[in-house]
Amino acid sequence: MRLSLLPVLLLCTALTGVIGGAVYFIQRDRQALVDQFAQERQAQLREAARGVSEALEDVGEDLRFTAELLSQPGSPEEHRRELRALLEAVGQYKAIVVFGPEGDERLRLLDRRTGESIARQYPAQALTLTAKSALEGPEGHIASSPPLSGDVSGWLRAFATALPEDSPGGGGAVVVLVDAEPLFAPLKLLTAESDTNLLLLGAHGTPTALSAPVLVARYQQLGTDAKDTPGLALLATRLREGEAGSLVIDRAEAMALGLGDAEVVASFAPVGMKNGALWPLASLSSTRGLRSHERSLVLRLSFAAFLFSSFLIAFGVYVVLARSRAVALQESLRHASRLAHLHDKTQKILDHIPTGVLALSTSGRITSANQALSSRMPKDVVGSTLAAAFPQAHAPVIQRLEELVNAAGQDNRVRSLHAEPLRLFESEGQYNVHAVPLEPHQPDVRTLLVLEDLSNLRALEGQLLRAEKLATVGVLAAGIAHEIGTPLGIIRGRAEYVQDKLGPEHPQAPGVGAIVEQIDRVSRTIRQLLDFSRLQPAESRAVTLGPLVRGVQELLRVEAERRHVDLRLDVSQPLPPLAADADQLQQVLVNLLLNACDACEPGGQVRLTATPGEADTSGAWGHVCITIEDDGCGIAPRHLHQVFDPFFTTKKRGLGTGLGLTMVAHIVRNHGGRIELDSAPGQGTRVMLQWPAAAPAREEQHVG
């Protein structure tokens, strides 16, 4: 009998050990989950508190800006207009009041949208007390009021700061009446789960409207029965001291507080602004879900106690569920952070898009403008008409824009003008204009006027057409060289043979010589075309500009003297070496200097100067600015965009092929440089080259 009971006893002992071990590990793992749960709640609370602190700090910045504004000289009407603009720009501001140094009210501005309701229950006493609190505080202090009596929402607060004593009128204080509910909107994300309750204390220790009613009632009773809720009392003490952290309220107290039959993790952190009072914040989250999970797992393990493998499967399910819950909590935290910054990102996107956007009211007045337009329009365009916003536009242009806006509002659909030539600013440009109607119940922003400047696009299209022309010329050059070069060589050889046979004294010798000269001229043109079509990327090396310029001066000295032109080349100051093919750089300078000499009358002057340029993002080692100026006849404005085109020349017939500047432009671009031309008839011409500097020797060695 004893032997038959032994296996049963051993089995029971083994099962007891397994169950005991399972219970031990479950409790230990549950504590880890509680700790992780507390950390996640604390991280969520810190993130939400950071968002609220930034919103409160914006109010503080506006107060300091207002105080600085009022401290500047100006008429009361100017100050009133500037304060009105701030009041209308920030929707949660309901009133701005300025007090004198003795606490007497000097200026009162109410929000036009809710001004009537504020005027009926104007909290004069609360605003005065807040202003006096700011006057009594240290410099730069932001004073705030307790909840205002008569405020049904419970969110109206007054914030105040003192004006500098040297301000006009001897100082004083400025008070802003704020609807604080939008400022604390990020905290509402914390209550997305039903097991989470908030306790938010105002700057004066009074619970706000965002606090859970059960917590507000218990908090207000702490003065009489704090011993019944020691965890809440400890939490209140640490909140009032401005601490941050977390603590656990046991199950019995959680049930007494009405927070459920499970432990509660209380996370707390202060919310505040610079030089202002703190708004203590706490979130109380029940671990009821974790406890329910634990009970389910214990039942599952008890049911599978007879089979050890079933126990392992149940434990594996537990691990999977716990991990899934952790992933879900992390995903919730990511979404909460993204939503907290959504408004700020939207505003930044609107301000930084290159397309101009104007918001118009139902009366056609401008209510806002993004940065792309406000930087090009007069200051303080908010509240003005389209004619005032575009003072350089003619009346028919303004009338056309107004008709477009009116048509969009009447039809309630988008109306557009495409590639319309309009003069809205200093010069005429092409624009796509879109009038976008919005909801009619928003009179301040009834229509959006979107302006797309197409001027740069048209310039790029012109450059593309020129590039296509140059590519066509390259193909044409190769064909001409192949089809004409060989016959021309044969003709020249025959002409020289005839010239030798005739001798220099023969009457037809000059005519044959003219044939040879013209064939040489055609051959030079073909050679230039071949050079143009075969131009390859330059093999750049470090080239010292000084010796190369002196060589160019020696080459052109006789030509300049023959034309009676004063040629001055000045590269006296220290310059970095250029990254260039020396022969191609010499070709560029010779072509540009010869063109300058051709443009000058006898007695004219041509000057070449070189200066080091400033380093920029286009190259790691900067560039050198080479400028060639002449006092010749100049170039007509209609020809400025054609001078680099193949076969275009302003010289007389037979004196130029129109390929010199085309070759120059290609060589400069192949070296990564930039060429610009500035000219006017009768005022000479100036050509600017931005040539890349060579890498320092140690940089080259490092790359090698």
Side-chain angles (χ1 to χ4, degrees), residues 70 80 84 88 104 131 135 265 272 342 433 503 577:
L70 293 173
R80 176 184 292 272
R84 170 64 65 185
E88 293 180 354
D104 54 311
L135 290 171
V265 174
L342 183 60
V433 185

Side-chain angles (χ1 to χ4, degrees), residues 11-12 15 18-19 301-311:
L11 179 60
C12 292
L15 291 176
V18 169
I19 294 173
L301 287 174
S302 299
F303 179 76
F306 297 100
L307 299 173
F308 186 70
S309 59
S310 298
F311 165 76

Side-chain angles (χ1 to χ4, degrees), residues 379-431:
K379 295 182 179 179
D380 300 329
V381 295
V382 175
S384 61
T385 62
L386 289 175
F390 301 102
Q392 297 170 337
H394 299 303
V397 174
I398 299 299
Q399 182 179 359
R400 191 165 189 183
L401 293 180
E402 292 175 346
E403 291 174 352
L404 188 70
V405 171
N406 294 333
Q410 293 173 1
D411 299 344
N412 200 28
R413 64 186 180 89
V414 178
R415 290 298 189 96
S416 302
L417 299 175
H418 297 285
E420 192 73 14
L422 301 173
R423 179 173 182 145
L424 298 177
F425 303 103
E426 294 182 357
S427 59
E428 182 175 305
Q430 286 191 337
Y431 297 88

Side-chain angles (χ1 to χ4, degrees), residues 103-423:
D104 54 311
E105 184 177 318
R106 292 185 174 180
L107 174 64
R108 178 193 302 178
L109 295 176
L110 300 181
D111 180 24
R112 294 175 179 173
R113 290 162 289 191
T114 57
E116 294 182 1
S117 61
I118 297 296
R120 286 194 298 269
Q121 297 180 348
Y122 183 70
Q125 183 178 2
L127 297 182
T128 303
L129 292 176
T130 307
K132 290 182 178 180
S133 176
L135 290 171
E136 295 171 358
E139 182 179 356
H141 176 68
I142 305 295
S144 58
S145 69
L148 304 183
S149 59
D151 175 26
V152 178
S153 68
W155 282 109
L156 284 181
R157 295 289 191 281
F159 296 89
T161 188
L163 302 176
E165 294 182 357
D166 56 354
S167 303
V174 57
V175 182
V176 177
L177 185 61
V178 181
D179 179 7
E181 185 175 7
L183 305 180
F184 290 88
L187 300 182
K188 294 182 180 180
L189 297 175
L190 299 176
T191 60
E193 296 186 8
S194 59
D195 289 341
T196 299
N197 296 275
L198 291 184
L199 178 60
L200 175 63
L201 305 182
H204 295 267
T206 305
T208 66
L210 197 60
S211 301
V214 293
L215 295 178
V216 172
R218 285 291 188 174
Y219 178 82
Q220 293 173 346
Q221 297 174 5
L222 287 178
T224 57
D225 57 354
K227 61 183 180 181
D228 296 335
T229 54
L232 182 62
L234 177 60
L235 175 63
T237 300
R238 300 186 70 175
L239 284 175
R240 286 192 288 266
E241 292 176 354
E243 297 182 7
S246 61
L247 55 86
V248 178
I249 298 176
D250 60 29
R251 175 186 175 190
E253 184 176 347
M255 294 180 64
L257 292 174
L259 300 179
D261 185 14
E263 295 175 339
V264 171
V265 174
S267 301
F268 49 92
V271 178
M273 65 177 72
K274 182 180 179 182
N275 298 331
L278 297 178
W279 297 60
L281 168 66
S283 67
L284 287 81
S285 302
S286 175
T287 61
R288 181 163 40 195
L290 296 178
R291 186 174 181 84
S292 175
H293 181 74
E294 176 195 4
R295 290 177 178 175
S296 174
L297 184 59
V298 170
L299 291 176
R300 196 175 299 138
L301 287 174
S302 299
F303 179 76
F306 297 100
L307 299 173
F308 186 70
S309 59
S310 298
F311 165 76
L312 294 177
I313 294 174
F315 187 75
V317 172
Y318 163 75
V319 172
V320 171
L321 293 177
R323 182 174 299 174
S324 300
R325 182 173 179 80
V327 171
L329 290 175
Q330 293 175 356
E331 187 69 15
S332 299
L333 178 61
R334 187 178 67 84
H335 284 296
S337 175
R338 183 177 179 182
L339 291 175
H341 297 283
L342 183 60
H343 176 74
D344 183 54
K345 289 182 178 179
T346 303
Q347 187 63 38
K348 289 181 178 179
I349 291 172
L350 185 62
D351 278 339
H352 289 83
I353 59 176
T355 302
V357 180
L358 280 179
L360 302 175
S361 64
T362 53
S363 61
R365 298 278 177 173
I366 297 174
T367 56
S368 66
N370 71 338
Q371 188 174 357
L373 271 184
S374 60
S375 61
R376 304 178 66 181
M377 295 190 300
K379 295 182 179 179
D380 300 329
V381 295
V382 175
S384 61
T385 62
L386 289 175
F390 301 102
Q392 297 170 337
H394 299 303
V397 174
I398 299 299
Q399 182 179 359
R400 191 165 189 183
L401 293 180
E402 292 175 346
E403 291 174 352
L404 188 70
V405 171
N406 294 333
Q410 293 173 1
D411 299 344
N412 200 28
R413 64 186 180 89
V414 178
R415 290 298 189 96
S416 302
L417 299 175
H418 297 285
E420 192 73 14
L422 301 173
R423 179 173 182 145

